[in-house]
Amino acid sequence: MKKRMLIKMLQLMSYAVLSMLAAVIFWFLWGGRVEAAMPEDVLTEEESSMTQEELECEKYYDNLELLAILTEAEAGNQGLIGKRMVVDVVLNRVDHPDWPNSIAEVILEPNQFSSYWDGGVDKVVEPSEETYLAVRMELQERSYPSIYYFTAGGYGNYGTPWKKIGDHYFSKE
C-alpha cells in the first residue's frame, strides 16, 4: 500500500514538474506576454455574448489602459508634462498615416517603446493618478501634436530634435 502511494506521489510530482517546465518554456518563447500567443479573432466566453458596440467600447478602454501602463513605465519618474508628451507621441502616431491606426498596434510595433520590449510594462502594477490625468488631458486636447519620437540619454536617429523634458529627448517629425 505504501509503495503504491509513493509511486502515485512520484507520478503527480513529475506531472507538476512537467507543467512548470512547460510554463517556463512558454514564458521564454513568448517573452512573458500571454497576449502575444493569443489570436485577436478568438473571443472569450464573456466577449462572445457582447454586442459589436460593447466590444468596440471594451477595445477602446483596453487601449487606453495600455496607454496609461506604457506611459507609467516610460515616464513614471517624470512630471505631468513629461507624461503628457509620452502620451502625445503615441496618439500622434495613431493619427499619422505612416503608423498603425490604433494605440495597441502603435505600442506593439517592434522596437518602438523600450519599456514594452524590456518588460518594464510588466512591472507596472497600477498607473498613478497623474498618469491617468495625462492620458485624459491629451485625449481632450493634444498639447504637442507634432512630436513623434522620444529617447532617454540623448536625441535619437529619427525626427528633428526639439526639446528635452526630464530624462527624455523629444523629436518632431
Side-chain angles (χ1 to χ4, degrees):
M1 184 71 166
K2 286 184 181 182
K3 186 176 181 181
R4 212 175 310 156
M5 282 180 58
L6 181 61
I7 291 171
K8 190 67 172 171
M9 283 178 36
L10 288 172
Q11 285 175 335
L12 290 173
M13 286 174 46
S14 67
Y15 293 138
V17 169
L18 287 174
S19 295
M20 287 191 305
L21 180 60
V24 169
I25 290 170
F26 179 83
W27 180 265
F28 282 109
L29 287 176
W30 293 104
R33 291 174 175 75
V34 174
E35 69 273 9
M38 296 175 64
E40 282 191 31
D41 58 347
V42 176
L43 298 177
T44 66
E45 189 175 318
E46 179 185 349
E47 291 171 334
S48 63
S49 66
M50 298 169 84
T51 66
Q52 186 63 35
E53 186 177 318
E54 290 171 327
L55 285 170
E56 290 299 319
C57 186
E58 179 85 12
K59 185 177 179 180
Y60 173 76
Y61 285 107
D62 285 349
N63 272 264
L64 293 182
E65 181 71 17
L66 179 60
L67 178 57
I69 290 169
L70 175 86
T71 303
E72 185 71 26
E74 291 282 353
N77 64 341
Q78 307 297 304
L80 182 60
I81 292 173
K83 290 175 182 174
R84 290 177 72 177
M85 292 176 81
V86 169
V87 170
D88 279 350
V89 167
V90 175
L91 295 178
N92 292 343
R93 288 181 182 191
V94 170
D95 293 342
H96 195 284
D98 289 345
W99 278 283
N101 62 359
S102 82
I103 291 170
E105 289 174 317
V106 165
I107 292 172
L108 299 178
E109 283 261 288
N111 306 312
Q112 294 301 303
F113 297 96
S114 61
S115 67
Y116 183 80
W117 295 99
D118 70 9
V121 295
D122 297 332
K123 296 173 187 161
V124 174
V125 176
E126 178 72 25
S128 68
E129 283 303 314
E130 185 176 64
T131 298
Y132 283 121
L133 175 63
V135 172
R136 285 192 305 272
M137 291 173 82
E138 295 312 308
L139 286 171
Q140 288 176 355
E141 185 176 351
R142 204 79 48 86
S143 299
Y144 309 96
S146 61
I147 58 172
Y148 290 90
Y149 308 98
F150 71 93
T151 58
Y155 289 106
N157 298 328
Y158 300 100
T160 303
W162 177 63
K163 195 175 203 175
K164 179 183 186 287
I165 300 289
D167 295 338
H168 292 136
Y169 294 79
F170 292 88
S171 297
K172 296 182 174 191
E173 189 180 20

Short mmCIF file of all heavy atoms in Angstrom, two decimals, residues 43-59:
data_model
loop_
_atom_site.label_atom_id
_atom_site.label_comp_id
_atom_site.label_asym_id
_atom_site.label_seq_id
_atom_site.Cartn_x
_atom_site.Cartn_y
_atom_site.Cartn_z
N LEU A 43 -12.56 35.05 -29.36
CA LEU A 43 -13.28 35.75 -28.32
C LEU A 43 -13.41 34.87 -27.07
O LEU A 43 -13.57 33.66 -27.17
CB LEU A 43 -14.69 36.12 -28.81
CG LEU A 43 -14.78 37.07 -29.98
CD1 LEU A 43 -16.24 37.27 -30.39
CD2 LEU A 43 -14.14 38.40 -29.68
N THR A 44 -13.35 35.52 -25.92
CA THR A 44 -13.61 34.80 -24.68
C THR A 44 -15.11 34.54 -24.59
O THR A 44 -15.90 35.09 -25.35
CB THR A 44 -13.16 35.63 -23.46
OG1 THR A 44 -13.98 36.81 -23.37
CG2 THR A 44 -11.69 36.01 -23.54
N GLU A 45 -15.50 33.73 -23.62
CA GLU A 45 -16.92 33.43 -23.44
C GLU A 45 -17.71 34.70 -23.15
O GLU A 45 -18.78 34.93 -23.69
CB GLU A 45 -17.08 32.43 -22.30
CG GLU A 45 -18.49 31.88 -22.16
CD GLU A 45 -18.57 30.81 -21.11
OE1 GLU A 45 -17.66 29.96 -21.04
OE2 GLU A 45 -19.54 30.84 -20.35
N GLU A 46 -17.13 35.56 -22.31
CA GLU A 46 -17.79 36.83 -21.97
C GLU A 46 -17.92 37.72 -23.20
O GLU A 46 -18.97 38.32 -23.45
CB GLU A 46 -17.00 37.56 -20.88
CG GLU A 46 -17.61 38.89 -20.48
CD GLU A 46 -16.75 39.65 -19.48
OE1 GLU A 46 -15.80 39.08 -18.94
OE2 GLU A 46 -17.05 40.83 -19.27
N GLU A 47 -16.86 37.80 -24.01
CA GLU A 47 -16.88 38.66 -25.19
C GLU A 47 -17.86 38.16 -26.24
O GLU A 47 -18.46 38.96 -26.96
CB GLU A 47 -15.49 38.76 -25.80
CG GLU A 47 -14.51 39.52 -24.96
CD GLU A 47 -13.08 39.43 -25.47
OE1 GLU A 47 -12.74 38.45 -26.15
OE2 GLU A 47 -12.32 40.36 -25.18
N SER A 48 -18.05 36.85 -26.35
CA SER A 48 -18.94 36.31 -27.37
C SER A 48 -20.40 36.67 -27.11
O SER A 48 -21.22 36.63 -28.01
CB SER A 48 -18.78 34.79 -27.50
OG SER A 48 -19.16 34.17 -26.30
N SER A 49 -20.73 37.06 -25.87
CA SER A 49 -22.10 37.46 -25.56
C SER A 49 -22.30 38.98 -25.66
O SER A 49 -23.39 39.48 -25.39
CB SER A 49 -22.49 36.97 -24.16
OG SER A 49 -21.71 37.64 -23.19
N MET A 50 -21.26 39.71 -26.06
CA MET A 50 -21.34 41.17 -26.15
C MET A 50 -21.75 41.60 -27.54
O MET A 50 -21.45 40.92 -28.53
CB MET A 50 -19.99 41.79 -25.79
CG MET A 50 -19.52 41.51 -24.38
SD MET A 50 -17.80 41.99 -24.10
CE MET A 50 -18.01 43.72 -23.75
N THR A 51 -22.40 42.77 -27.62
CA THR A 51 -22.74 43.33 -28.93
C THR A 51 -21.48 43.91 -29.56
O THR A 51 -20.47 44.12 -28.87
CB THR A 51 -23.79 44.46 -28.78
OG1 THR A 51 -23.18 45.55 -28.08
CG2 THR A 51 -25.03 43.98 -28.06
N GLN A 52 -21.55 44.21 -30.84
CA GLN A 52 -20.41 44.80 -31.54
C GLN A 52 -20.03 46.14 -30.90
O GLN A 52 -18.86 46.44 -30.73
CB GLN A 52 -20.72 44.98 -33.03
CG GLN A 52 -19.54 45.43 -33.84
CD GLN A 52 -18.39 44.42 -33.83
OE1 GLN A 52 -18.60 43.22 -33.82
NE2 GLN A 52 -17.17 44.91 -33.83
N GLU A 53 -21.03 46.92 -30.52
CA GLU A 53 -20.78 48.21 -29.89
C GLU A 53 -20.07 48.03 -28.54
O GLU A 53 -19.13 48.76 -28.21
CB GLU A 53 -22.09 48.95 -29.69
CG GLU A 53 -21.93 50.36 -29.17
CD GLU A 53 -23.26 51.08 -29.06
OE1 GLU A 53 -24.09 50.96 -29.99
OE2 GLU A 53 -23.45 51.77 -28.05
N GLU A 54 -20.50 47.04 -27.77
CA GLU A 54 -19.86 46.76 -26.48
C GLU A 54 -18.41 46.28 -26.67
O GLU A 54 -17.53 46.66 -25.91
CB GLU A 54 -20.65 45.70 -25.70
CG GLU A 54 -21.98 46.20 -25.20
CD GLU A 54 -22.84 45.09 -24.62
OE1 GLU A 54 -22.76 43.93 -25.11
OE2 GLU A 54 -23.61 45.37 -23.69
N LEU A 55 -18.19 45.47 -27.70
CA LEU A 55 -16.83 45.00 -28.00
C LEU A 55 -15.92 46.17 -28.38
O LEU A 55 -14.77 46.23 -27.92
CB LEU A 55 -16.84 43.96 -29.12
CG LEU A 55 -17.32 42.57 -28.76
CD1 LEU A 55 -17.50 41.73 -30.02
CD2 LEU A 55 -16.36 41.90 -27.80
N GLU A 56 -16.42 47.08 -29.20
CA GLU A 56 -15.63 48.25 -29.60
C GLU A 56 -15.31 49.12 -28.39
O GLU A 56 -14.20 49.63 -28.25
CB GLU A 56 -16.36 49.06 -30.66
CG GLU A 56 -16.43 48.38 -32.02
CD GLU A 56 -15.05 48.11 -32.61
OE1 GLU A 56 -14.16 48.98 -32.51
OE2 GLU A 56 -14.87 47.02 -33.17
N CYS A 57 -16.29 49.29 -27.51
CA CYS A 57 -16.09 50.09 -26.30
C CYS A 57 -15.04 49.42 -25.40
O CYS A 57 -14.15 50.09 -24.87
CB CYS A 57 -17.42 50.23 -25.56
SG CYS A 57 -17.37 51.33 -24.15
N GLU A 58 -15.13 48.12 -25.25
CA GLU A 58 -14.17 47.36 -24.44
C GLU A 58 -12.76 47.50 -25.02
O GLU A 58 -11.80 47.73 -24.30
CB GLU A 58 -14.58 45.88 -24.41
CG GLU A 58 -13.67 44.98 -23.63
CD GLU A 58 -13.98 44.95 -22.16
OE1 GLU A 58 -15.04 45.45 -21.76
OE2 GLU A 58 -13.15 44.43 -21.40
N LYS A 59 -12.66 47.39 -26.33
CA LYS A 59 -11.36 47.52 -27.00
C LYS A 59 -10.78 48.92 -26.80
O LYS A 59 -9.59 49.08 -26.55
CB LYS A 59 -11.52 47.20 -28.49
CG LYS A 59 -10.23 47.18 -29.25
CD LYS A 59 -10.47 46.78 -30.71
CE LYS A 59 -9.19 46.77 -31.49
NZ LYS A 59 -9.41 46.40 -32.89
#
